[in-house]
Amino acid sequence: MLLCRTAASEQRARGLAYQVLRSLHRPYWIEERRIEVRFSAGVALWPAHGSDVEELLKNAGFARNMARGQPTEQQRVRVYEPELRRQVLDRRRTTEELSRALESGELFLEYQPIVDLDTGRVEAVEALVRWQHPAKGTLMPDSFVPVAESSELILRIGEWILEEACRDAKRWDRQGVSGVAVCVNVSAAQFESPGFVRKVRHLLQEADIDPSLLEIELTESTVIQDVTESVRRLQELRDLGVRSSIDDFGTGYSSLSYMVQLPIDTLKIDRSFVAQLEHSDQARVVVSTIIGMANSLKLRLVAEGVENDRQRSIMRSESCRLAQGFYFSTPLKSNSLIELLRQGRVFRPPDVSSV
Ligand code: C2E
Ligand code: MG
Ligand code: MG
């Protein structure tokens, strides 16, 4: 706890909190192990947020609770506001429910095909988690993954997702559709957790699948948190034979110099660019630039969120070979996916007569 008499305004209190976080946030070494500790801060101001120490501490606690585990430094400093109290309590309830849901098997995965635009065949699938809530029906990840990410629960859920995806990959293999890789979204806390790569190796052995059938999807904000450490982990994954990709590319803060350093295999162009392609020359320039960069770095490219034939055709003419989106298929349960994979081709490329 820090009591500051001089931080009279919200702005000054924030500034002070950033200073403290920056001085604490550095890697610590315990023997050979590098430990990264990330701090967060909650701020309550007298007299606006409480008239006595007890109330101020409680409200600063609510604010810190919402700040914990956020991806950027700015989001890891939170100033109290009355709405936060309800949010914290809601989140606590959802976390408890989610923890129970994981135990009782209410979470399941759907898979969305990633299609080769030249052949129309499924090259890989992306695993997307859903929650079959007993009262609210099927819940999408945006409504519960951020909640899980605010606590250790994301580690348990993330591990289950990886395990389940590897098990399904093995099942497809046994059912005669081999060679389809599964891409799994991995949260920052999971990627940075000690022993992550070891766990991946163990899961691959347990499921008995070839490491080249697994690809890890990370966001830009995850990998730029600590570039040196990300390079090390990504290289370890690569040494294992597991591929990695940057998801939602173009929406983060990546600087080119970081991207060049990272041993990644794939860039997934965010669907917001694909959505604007038909109407905005600017979006087309951004997409062309991303594609040019990926080609010179020898990275694979996936266009996300392709919803119509025009977008497919533009991406193909921009020499993007892989795409994913409702135009080809929505995310499917494992059993329906098998049927689709058996058919082989998801769509017939109109500009290629025979493949
Ligand atoms: P993402 O990884 O970028 O996943 C793609 C999202 O775009 C999915 O939404 C998918 O259903 C949606 N999508 C696919 N094609 C189209 C299209 O043509 N148009 C539109 N409008 N949307 C399309 P979903 O399943 O709701 O997932 C949202 C986000 O939640 C994911 O974004 C990912 O960041 C996160 N997420 C999903 N599953 C997992 C998971 O297993 N672990 C973690 N850590 N995060 C996950
Ligand atoms: Mg993804
Ligand atoms: Mg994405």
Side-chain angles (χ1 to χ4, degrees):
M1 184 190 67
L2 192 68
L3 181 67
C4 182
R5 283 163 175 275
T6 53
S9 70
E10 181 177 321
Q11 205 185 4
R12 288 195 61 181
R14 268 188 180 279
L16 187 69
Y18 289 137
Q19 263 178 7
V20 174
L21 293 199
R22 265 174 224 148
S23 63
L24 291 170
H25 179 198
R26 54 179 173 189
Y28 294 87
W29 291 89
I30 299 179
E31 293 175 0
E32 291 298 294
R33 291 188 64 155
R34 183 178 193 277
I35 313 272
E36 172 126 357
V37 188
R38 200 168 295 143
F39 293 85
S40 48
V43 177
L45 295 165
W46 179 86
H49 303 146
S51 52
D52 56 29
V53 173
E54 204 182 330
E55 198 182 359
L56 283 170
L57 274 180
K58 202 164 77 188
N59 288 341
F62 279 123
R64 201 215 41 212
N65 219 300
M66 289 309 279
R68 199 167 48 204
Q70 293 296 319
T72 65
E73 185 189 69
Q74 211 161 22
Q75 292 168 298
R76 284 198 296 274
V77 173
R78 203 64 203 260
V79 177
Y80 177 76
E81 47 189 306
E83 174 66 3
L84 282 184
R85 185 189 291 258
R86 194 186 54 77
Q87 287 177 14
V88 168
L89 296 177
D90 273 0
R91 201 164 73 173
R92 217 168 271 162
R93 199 174 319 118
T94 310
T95 307
E96 281 164 18
E97 251 192 294
L98 192 50
S99 173
R100 186 195 40 74
L102 176 66
E103 299 303 324
S104 55
E106 289 171 20
L107 298 187
F108 67 98
L109 298 182
E110 286 191 329
Y111 296 93
Q112 188 178 35
I114 297 173
V115 180
D116 184 320
L117 293 177
D118 286 338
T119 63
R121 288 177 193 284
V122 180
E123 166 139 339
V125 293
E126 176 175 8
L128 296 159
V129 67
R130 276 90 180 85
W131 178 1
Q132 194 58 52
H133 192 285
K136 298 179 190 159
T138 309
L139 299 180
M140 300 309 266
D142 287 341
S143 69
F144 64 88
V145 167
V147 176
E149 282 174 338
S150 66
S151 76
E152 300 263 298
L153 186 53
I154 192 60
L155 300 180
R156 280 167 52 210
I157 292 185
E159 191 167 334
W160 176 82
I161 291 169
L162 267 168
E163 234 172 65
E164 182 76 355
C166 290
R167 268 196 297 265
D168 278 335
K170 183 67 188 176
R171 201 172 306 145
W172 305 325
D173 194 46
R174 267 204 303 263
Q175 296 187 11
V177 268
S178 52
V180 177
V182 63
C183 305
V184 179
N185 294 284
V186 167
S187 294
Q190 198 184 351
F191 180 62
E192 290 160 4
S193 64
F196 171 69
V197 179
R198 202 170 356 106
K199 239 172 240 162
V200 170
R201 184 188 304 125
H202 176 72
L203 290 176
L204 288 167
Q205 278 165 358
E206 287 269 288
D208 185 29
I209 59 166
D210 195 294
S212 66
L213 289 184
L214 179 66
E215 181 155 344
I216 301 293
E217 291 194 10
L218 302 159
T219 61
E220 293 170 64
S221 62
T222 298
V223 290
I224 63 161
Q225 295 276 352
D226 181 346
V227 176
T228 317
E229 184 58 16
S230 294
V231 169
R232 201 176 65 77
R233 277 179 191 227
L234 290 167
Q235 188 58 49
E236 280 178 7
L237 285 173
R238 182 172 276 183
D239 294 343
L240 256 190
V242 172
R243 282 197 301 232
S244 53
S245 55
I246 302 293
D247 203 353
D248 308 336
F249 187 74
T251 55
Y253 317 92
S254 328
S255 100
L256 202 57
S257 61
Y258 288 149
M259 294 314 302
V260 181
Q261 287 178 46
L262 295 170
I264 49 159
D265 304 279
T266 311
L267 285 188
K268 298 188 76 174
I269 304 177
D270 189 66
R271 69 165 188 263
S272 58
F273 299 113
V274 177
Q276 293 171 52
L277 272 182
E278 296 159 89
H279 320 288
S280 151
D281 290 343
Q282 222 173 348
R284 197 149 174 174
V285 171
V286 174
V287 166
S288 290
T289 311
I290 294 177
I291 292 176
M293 182 185 96
N295 285 339
S296 46
L297 293 175
K298 307 221 163 14
L299 298 173
R300 295 190 324 155
L301 270 168
V302 178
E304 295 190 275
V306 173
E307 291 184 350
N308 59 47
D309 196 55
R310 180 101 184 96
Q311 291 166 348
R312 175 206 63 79
S313 151
I314 297 175
M315 289 315 294
R316 186 63 203 96
S317 66
E318 291 284 352
S319 65
C320 175
R321 191 176 61 85
L322 299 167
Q324 169 182 6
F326 297 163
Y327 178 67
F328 308 107
S329 169
T330 55
L332 303 169
K333 294 210 170 129
S334 180
N335 288 344
S336 320
L337 179 76
I338 278 278
E339 284 169 33
L340 190 117
L341 293 177
R342 286 223 172 94
Q343 290 164 19
R345 214 189 289 258
V346 178
F347 87 112
R348 186 167 291 280
D351 31 8
V352 178
S353 51
S354 66
V355 184

